[in-house]
Amino acid sequence: MAIHRISADFIHPGNGPMLPQGVLVVDENGVILAIENQRLGNEIIYKGVLCPGFINVHCHTELSYAKGLIAPQKGINAFISDLENLKKTIKEEEKIKAIEAALIQMESEGIVAVGDIMNTTMSLPVKAKSKIKFYNFIEVYGSQNASADLVFSKAKVLLSQTPLPCAITPHAPYSVSEPLFQHICSQSKDSILSIHHAESEAEIKFFEKGEGPFAIRFENWQLPLPQHIPSLDRPLTWIMKQTSEQQNLLLIHNTFINKNDLKWVNQRKLFLGLCPKANLYIENKLPPMDLLNEFRSVICLGTDSLASNDRLSILEEMLTLKQAFNLNWQDLIQFATYNGAKALGFENELGTFEIGKNPGINLISFKEDQPRITVIDTNFYSKN
Ligand SMILES: [Zn+2]
């Protein structure tokens, strides 16, 4: 078995400080054999930072067909309507082609694992052929108490066709009734719930007071408001009441999270998944990084789907946060690697350079100050 010594200006191990001129010793399959502080002179040397493969905690690969088809910055309510209309007009074979292209793009962007939201099983044959590891979230909606049993039993059928790891997950606090949420919480203790949280002010107002554009939408559908709305609670307080202390939670977006919500972070098993480019696309707003600064150990990154992003690139998500908030690479790379792996329960295999792991190797290099990503293929050295 061929052994390679790889070095760069810095090695970021995923979960610790960067090693200047560190050395990664790997076998031809990319398994980490050692991490050393000193070069011996027989290394392959890169300019830039070597780090583990990226974890994209939130995507909807099923929606890849919608790339460039939904006008940006019209708000979440218009976004949901536009997407619902679009869904009906595109043929399944086109949707599948778009999923294939999306997975190829994510691999070339150094993404090794994805938390993928599914509403159908359409993506499964494509994902089975990909090198990317998936946590499959079967997402459910159902705002009316009376529909809870039916919605959950349909989701269980999808779940039975889906490879592990997978879980049924609620779309959002405003779109899932209490009985449906309770069904979802009855799954195995290890399962993760990935919930859209505080993506817009409109949804929070609707959740707390039963008012605003979301309430008008229910009127148009001639549906009563969900029985738990107006809740008079913050969405996260309600989620905390619905779930046990053992429940693993991955909250997605958090664009309008506040100080009061954040008190739960230290009390519960929760991760905050940020999708900054999708937030700019839909609401033209970014999460409050000043408030989130002390919670950096639970921040991870997602691209959301191509319906609200032009590219499925974790590097671009990092850059968006870096430019807006002047964050450093040390933190950003940890968000993109170790924290994401923990959020999806993949930390034993991915997210860090540790002996015995095969986490993928990315090189972030800088050309005229513009960072770009190269996926390091250790097999390539063996063949050439
Ligand atoms: Zn989403």
Side-chain angles (χ1 to χ4, degrees):
M1 169 88 56
I3 292 174
H4 307 292
R5 295 177 62 83
I6 305 172
S7 184
D9 298 321
F10 293 94
I11 292 187
H12 190 308
N15 60 347
M18 294 205 214
L19 300 173
Q21 306 201 341
V23 179
L24 267 187
V25 187
V26 294
D27 75 14
E28 63 191 30
N29 297 316
V31 176
I32 310 291
L33 304 175
I35 303 118
E36 295 175 2
N37 288 323
Q38 277 202 325
R39 292 178 183 167
L40 298 178
N42 57 351
E43 287 82 12
I44 301 157
I45 297 175
Y46 294 100
K47 283 209 97 42
V49 183
L50 288 168
C51 69
F54 296 145
I55 316 294
N56 179 1
V57 299
H58 187 71
C59 192
H60 307 237
T61 58
E62 265 176 30
L63 304 181
S64 301
Y65 64 85
K67 185 181 172 189
L69 299 180
I70 298 180
Q73 298 179 5
K74 283 166 62 187
I76 185 74
N77 201 40
F79 178 82
I80 294 173
S81 310
D82 289 353
L83 187 58
E84 283 310 307
N85 292 333
L86 190 62
K87 242 179 208 172
K88 295 171 202 151
T89 64
I90 311 274
K91 289 200 193 97
E92 177 143 340
E93 58 202 67
E94 277 179 59
K95 291 180 179 174
I96 288 171
K97 268 192 196 150
I99 298 169
E100 284 169 348
L103 299 198
I104 290 168
Q105 179 180 79
M106 282 199 278
E107 273 189 42
S108 70
E109 294 283 352
I111 293 169
V112 294
V114 176
D116 193 31
I117 304 287
M118 298 166 44
N119 301 106
T120 72
T121 53
M122 183 197 305
S123 62
L124 291 178
V126 188
K127 289 192 272 194
K129 286 183 267 167
S130 168
K131 274 197 277 182
I132 296 173
K133 186 175 171 73
F134 291 90
Y135 195 114
N136 290 304
F137 294 104
I138 315 281
E139 179 187 61
V140 293
Y141 300 80
S143 63
Q144 305 297 310
N145 288 1
S147 67
D149 291 354
L150 181 65
V151 172
F152 191 66
S153 59
K154 282 186 182 166
K156 278 206 291 196
V157 174
L158 292 189
L159 190 74
S160 69
Q161 298 161 9
T162 305
L164 292 167
C166 58
I168 298 173
T169 205
H171 167 255
Y174 63 87
S175 59
V176 170
S177 68
E178 282 188 3
L180 181 53
F181 210 111
Q182 285 313 311
H183 282 320
I184 296 166
C185 291
S186 69
Q187 299 175 93
S188 120
K189 267 204 216 84
D190 306 330
S191 54
I192 300 166
L193 304 186
S194 170
I195 310 174
H196 293 89
H197 172 250
E199 187 176 2
S200 63
E201 250 165 351
E203 80 194 43
I204 297 175
K205 187 175 172 195
F206 174 64
F207 188 80
E208 290 180 349
K209 301 180 180 156
E211 295 169 358
F214 280 80
I216 295 166
R217 179 195 288 266
F218 275 81
E219 232 174 80
N220 293 342
W221 285 334
Q222 298 182 319
L223 268 182
L225 294 189
Q227 281 86 335
H228 64 295
I229 290 176
S231 67
L232 310 177
D233 261 339
R234 290 285 294 176
L236 189 53
T237 309
W238 182 82
I239 293 171
M240 295 296 105
K241 288 180 184 168
Q242 296 296 316
T243 52
S244 77
E245 280 182 21
Q246 282 73 47
Q247 182 67 59
N248 298 300
L249 292 164
L250 171 53
L251 303 176
I252 301 299
H253 291 304
N254 308 296
T255 328
F256 293 85
I257 199 165
N258 69 17
K259 225 177 171 166
N260 211 19
D261 296 330
L262 285 163
K263 70 173 191 261
W264 294 108
V265 173
N266 297 325
Q267 300 176 32
R268 290 292 199 92
K269 292 160 71 176
L270 57 85
F271 281 87
L272 303 171
L274 308 183
C275 307
K277 281 187 68 198
N279 299 152
L280 289 176
Y281 196 99
I282 298 175
E283 294 280 335
N284 198 20
K285 188 95 172 92
L286 286 171
M289 289 309 296
D290 49 334
L291 292 183
L292 298 179
N293 192 40
E294 61 181 294
F295 303 99
R296 281 173 299 180
S297 64
V298 296
I299 293 176
C300 45
L301 301 177
T303 57
D304 214 339
S305 74
L306 285 170
S308 56
N309 206 335
D310 60 346
R311 204 162 135 190
L312 303 177
S313 160
I314 289 295
L315 181 65
E316 284 208 349
E317 303 298 329
M318 289 196 255
L319 279 179
T320 304
L321 290 180
K322 188 166 178 31
Q323 281 157 4
F325 303 106
N326 204 17
L327 300 185
N328 60 51
W329 286 108
Q330 176 64 44
D331 287 336
L332 288 165
I333 293 174
Q334 181 166 331
F335 298 167
T337 57
Y338 180 54
N339 291 3
K342 276 203 296 185
L344 295 180
F346 294 160
E347 71 273 26
N348 291 333
E349 306 155 62
L350 302 175
T352 57
F353 287 143
E354 285 178 275
I355 294 169
K357 280 193 186 180
N358 189 349
I361 304 170
N362 288 343
L363 172 72
I364 303 175
S365 57
F366 299 84
K367 201 174 178 191
E368 286 152 10
D369 268 2
Q370 263 314 94
R372 52 185 204 155
I373 194 88
T374 311
V375 178
I376 304 294
D377 176 6
T378 45
N379 232 312
F380 174 85
Y381 305 129
S382 308
K383 287 181 204 142
N384 291 275

